[in-house]
Amino acid sequence: MLVRDFILLMGVCLIWATNFVVTKLVLVHLDIPPLLFSSLRFALVLLVALPWLLPWPRPHWRIVVVGLMMGAGGFGLVSIGLMTATPSSAAVVTQLGVPLTALLSVFMLGEKIGLRRGIGIALAFSGAVIVMYDPKGFSLSFGLLFVLGSAFASAFGVVLLKKTENVAPLQFQAWVGLASSIPLGLASMTLETGQVDRALAAGWPFLAALAYTAIAVSLLGHSLFFKLVMKYEANLISTLTLMCPLMGIGLGVLVTGDPFDLLMIAGTAVVLAGVAIILVAPKRRTT
């Protein structure tokens, strides 16, 4: 890999890692409701990417479901989870998207899981349970259950996206914005109270965070990642993106004061080991 492209990929990982911290600060410190924040983020994504919205990819329903799963399902549930979960733990649990994608590929795409990939899946889920486990309450962390739900939604969207052809990156982002902003906006109006006043009270820091998550995280980050995936082997790029949760953990500890004890260290190591095994193991398809 060229040094320039490696630096670009590290930049993408850093942008994605900061998303957890920025979202946490917006929800907790600025007191912005998660559904409002998510809906406005995707409305801004739609506004910027609107010129690339049409033509509507066929089949019409598929791109709508993909956009809903990877937008509202992915980011929306993460936002709810981050109301109580730490950015560092959320960064680790989202890595379950890799083994979940592998499992869903078996049922939806007819792929087979070999021994190595099976071991990797088992390790990833075991490590996530360690990270999510709350020894004080003898239960799983409630906020991280929403993060786990977001990983499943994103994985479902990724597998479904594999059946969609001829969709450019910005066109895809436009449909994510359209399919997600409307249901999230309706959910905010129905379930949240005082959201407009709270957003106005937050002022420019909220607007800056909104612009960052929409433009830098969604549009810039995913577009650069798409170009790198098209240029290099998918396994190489996916393996290098394991630095994203590590960056997320570091930022969580430094910025929001997340605890990083032996339980977190052990769980993170097991998750990343499992994900790495899945990414380097060869895929097996039915004939």
Side-chain angles (χ1 to χ4, degrees):
M1 174 179 281
L2 297 175
V3 175
R4 180 192 62 185
D5 292 337
F6 180 79
I7 294 175
L8 280 177
L9 183 59
M10 293 305 96
V12 171
C13 289
L14 182 59
I15 289 172
W16 288 348
T18 56
N19 178 60
F20 295 102
V21 175
V22 170
T23 300
K24 180 72 174 184
L25 293 175
V26 167
L27 300 177
V28 176
H29 295 275
L30 297 182
D31 192 32
I32 301 298
L35 294 176
L36 175 70
F37 180 52
S38 302
S39 63
L40 291 178
R41 170 189 178 170
F42 288 112
L44 183 55
V45 168
L46 173 61
L47 181 63
V48 175
L50 188 60
W52 291 272
L53 182 68
L54 299 176
W56 191 344
R58 293 181 179 274
H60 295 332
W61 66 268
R62 184 177 294 160
I63 192 65
V64 174
V65 174
V66 169
L68 184 63
M69 289 294 101
M70 300 187 70
F75 183 78
L77 291 176
V78 163
S79 297
I80 296 174
L82 282 171
M83 293 292 293
T84 55
T86 63
S88 55
S89 61
V92 175
V93 174
T94 52
Q95 293 303 300
L96 284 181
V98 176
L100 285 170
T101 299
L103 288 174
L104 289 173
S105 296
V106 174
F107 299 103
M108 298 174 63
L109 302 178
E111 294 184 355
K112 290 185 176 181
I113 297 178
L115 178 60
R116 279 189 291 174
R117 288 171 67 84
I119 293 174
I121 291 171
L123 282 175
F125 278 105
S126 299
V129 170
I130 296 174
V131 172
M132 296 171 66
Y133 184 68
D134 183 5
K136 294 181 181 179
F138 297 99
S139 62
L140 296 180
S141 172
F142 183 71
L144 289 178
L145 292 178
F146 283 96
V147 179
L148 176 60
S150 77
F152 178 84
S154 297
F156 184 83
V158 167
V159 174
L160 202 58
L161 183 62
K162 290 182 179 181
K163 297 184 177 182
T164 305
E165 299 179 352
N166 301 321
V167 179
L170 287 177
Q171 184 183 28
F172 170 68
Q173 290 297 331
W175 280 100
V176 170
L178 179 62
S180 299
S181 59
I182 296 175
L184 285 171
L186 293 174
S188 176
M189 289 188 292
T190 304
L191 302 174
E192 296 174 337
T193 59
Q195 57 268 52
V196 176
D197 292 337
R198 290 153 73 180
L200 292 175
W204 69 264
F206 169 59
L207 295 178
L210 188 65
Y212 180 79
T213 56
I215 297 174
V217 178
S218 290
L219 294 172
L220 178 61
H222 285 87
S223 295
L224 288 175
F225 182 75
F226 181 85
K227 290 183 179 180
L228 291 171
V229 168
M230 297 300 294
K231 187 174 182 179
Y232 297 98
E233 297 87 348
N235 276 345
L236 172 63
I237 299 299
S238 298
T239 304
L240 289 176
T241 56
L242 289 177
M243 284 178 284
C244 180
L246 297 178
M247 292 178 179
I249 292 170
L251 289 170
V253 173
L254 292 174
V255 178
T256 59
D258 296 356
F260 195 59
D261 53 19
L262 291 177
L263 198 64
M264 182 69 175
I265 294 173
T268 300
V270 175
V271 169
L272 296 184
V275 171
I277 291 173
I278 295 169
L279 294 176
V280 300
K283 292 184 177 180
R284 299 174 60 190
R285 294 181 175 273
T286 55
T287 56

